């Protein structure tokens, strides 16, 4: 067994470090939830206050979502708040043990679909790439607001008369 596997299985000795890689187009943002910068595979993961929800291990295509919280004064957050990306925002999360920062394992890969501002925090909502493959229809792109303007009259706040057309 490797140090990673030994420590992950331990209740007392596990001291995980997670790094987050966001990418879209030519842009890339890399962050570490650790108390120092991490350099791995040529990328420098900047120290940042970042947190995530639990990763669900499920085969249900309606699940497989993840929420990542970041503070407002952050370059990635400022980018998505100013001009939401017109292409998919990919997110990969890697995990290692503090004893061996050269042995990172990918624990989640997916796409960020939307964001939500809550006080001084922005929550980025993502879906696992594995679960997205099982969904019918075109994959949803990144959106600031509800993507179902024609189908959700309760939450989207769209004025129906603005979406009407007439034909003769």
């Amino acid at each position: 067994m490797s140090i990673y596997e030994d420590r992950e299985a331990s209740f007392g000795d596990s001291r995980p470090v997670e790094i987050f890689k966001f990418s879209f187009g030519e842009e890339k943002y890399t962050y570490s939830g650790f108390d120092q910068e991490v350099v791995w595979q040529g990328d420098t993961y900047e120290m940042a206050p970042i947190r995530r929800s639990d990763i669900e291990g499920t085969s249900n295509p309606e699940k497989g979502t993840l929420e990542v919280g970041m503070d407002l004064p952050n370059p990635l957050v400022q980018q998505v708040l100013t001009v939401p990306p017109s292409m998919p925002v990919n997110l990969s999360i890697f995990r290692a043990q503090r004893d061996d920062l050269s042995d990172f394992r990918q624990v989640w890969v997916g796409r960020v679909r939307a964001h939500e501002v809550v006080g001084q925090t922005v929550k980025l909502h993502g879906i696992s790439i594995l679960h997205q493959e099982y969904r019918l229809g075109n994959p949803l792109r990144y959106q600031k607001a509800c993507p179902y303007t024609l189908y959700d009259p309760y939450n989207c706040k769209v004025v129906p008369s603005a979406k009407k057309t007439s034909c003769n």
Side-chain angles (χ1 to χ4, degrees):
M1 275 188 141
S2 70
I3 291 174
Y4 177 85
E5 291 161 342
D6 285 342
R7 297 286 192 252
E8 281 292 307
S10 171
F11 285 110
D13 291 334
S14 181
R15 295 178 14 182
V17 172
E18 289 188 340
I19 56 177
F20 300 76
K21 183 179 202 174
F22 297 88
S23 61
F24 50 96
E26 298 294 316
E27 304 220 30
K28 179 171 47 172
Y29 296 90
T30 53
Y31 299 106
S32 164
F34 192 36
D35 57 4
Q36 63 187 26
E37 280 187 350
V38 173
V39 177
W40 184 63
Q41 292 189 341
D43 290 323
T44 300
Y45 292 80
E46 298 175 29
M47 189 174 53
I50 187 168
R51 56 221 154 270
R52 66 165 175 82
S53 61
D54 290 337
I55 295 173
E56 297 181 43
T58 177
S59 61
N60 182 347
E62 295 302 315
K63 299 208 179 210
T65 59
L66 184 79
E67 190 176 275
V68 176
M70 302 177 81
D71 291 342
L72 278 174
N74 177 294
L76 171 65
V77 169
Q78 295 303 315
Q79 171 73 26
V80 299
L81 289 178
T82 308
V83 181
S86 60
M87 57 190 59
V89 178
N90 299 308
L91 168 60
S92 296
I93 302 174
F94 303 92
R95 184 177 169 122
Q97 291 293 320
R98 289 180 195 231
D99 300 349
D100 187 7
L101 292 179
S102 65
D103 188 19
F104 277 95
R105 312 283 175 99
Q106 189 170 42
V107 294
W108 195 85
V109 62
R111 291 198 170 134
V112 177
R113 293 192 313 180
H115 70 267
E116 161 187 17
V117 179
V118 180
Q120 293 297 311
T121 302
V122 170
K123 293 182 181 178
L124 303 172
H125 301 279
I127 183 167
S128 166
I129 199 77
L130 299 173
H131 287 84
Q132 186 172 349
E133 296 297 319
Y134 293 110
R135 292 182 179 225
L136 297 176
N138 293 330
L140 296 174
R141 292 192 177 264
Y142 190 96
Q143 305 224 355
K144 283 171 92 170
C146 175
Y148 302 108
T149 56
L150 300 177
Y151 305 106
D152 188 4
Y154 305 106
N155 297 318
C156 284
K157 312 286 190 272
V158 172
V159 178
S161 61
K163 299 295 178 187
K164 286 185 180 179
T165 59
S166 61
C167 300
N168 290 337

